[in-house]
Amino acid sequence: PRLRARDGDDELPRDRASEFALSLGLSLAQVERQSRLPLPVPPERLAALRAEAEERALPAYRIESWVGNTPPEHLDRLAAMYRTLSSDAPLGEVDWEPENWDAERVRHNDERKHRTGHSLFTIAIARETGEVAGLTELHVHDAHPHRPEQWTTVVAAPHRGHRLGLLLKAANLQALAVDQPEARYVDTWNAGENDHMLAINTLVGFRPHSAHGAWQWKAPQA
């Protein structure tokens, strides 16, 4: 027997863990897919994907990348992207309030993450306005540097439709090949109903690896 959330096509087995969650009154609010990309991706493949995306994105946008802590001039831009992610990411039936991000919180977040490793960031910036349009991040853990994790990837709504998601991921994977040549695969997680980002991942070479349930309990109304 299988369990499926309201949105998306991914499923969970109705096993002992699921039965235990259901017995507590929890509901399956979302199924999240873990995908895995074997490394290295052939450099010519990444170059072709980047060129395909640049045909749509350039010259309206420019790409900037860095490794490590966020440069001061980009702190506010990352804060804007984290706010966007907290409000725009597909959530299924999960109750989630928009998060409050500012430059100081980004700085502290960097410090916390970099105690366990380091991150590679790539952002897209609208050329004329200077507005940040998209963000992606790869985190390399000290404990398992062979297995980086794809974390935040988001494109702001006004800038969608320009292949920025593909451009960001291709550029960041190119940076990863230089920074971490011994890495063997990248793991990432996406909502099962996030068809657009899952399609980009499939194009890059990610394949389904596992499924995870987001279980939720709602307190009775007073």
Side-chain angles (χ1 to χ4, degrees), residues 53 74 109 132 146 149 183 197 199 212:
H74 292 316
N109 191 49
V132 63
H146 64 286
E149 294 179 354
M197 193 58 66
H212 304 258

Side-chain angles (χ1 to χ4, degrees), residues 59-62 77 124-134 159:
Y61 299 90
R62 72 177 190 268
R77 287 173 168 148
I125 300 175
R127 189 179 62 176
E128 294 182 358
T129 66
E131 178 185 8
V132 63
H159 302 281

Side-chain angles (χ1 to χ4, degrees), residues 44-63 122 124 155 159-172 174 196 200 203-204:
E44 60 274 14
R45 171 67 176 160
L46 287 179
L49 291 172
R50 181 166 182 167
E52 175 187 336
E54 287 179 341
E55 287 185 6
R56 294 279 297 277
L58 302 184
Y61 299 90
R62 72 177 190 268
I63 294 295
T122 297
V155 175
H159 302 281
R160 293 171 188 164
H162 300 281
R163 300 297 273 169
L164 291 181
L166 177 60
L167 179 56
L168 289 165
K169 290 206 169 189
N172 219 21
Q174 287 177 324
H196 180 70
I200 291 175
L203 181 61
V204 171

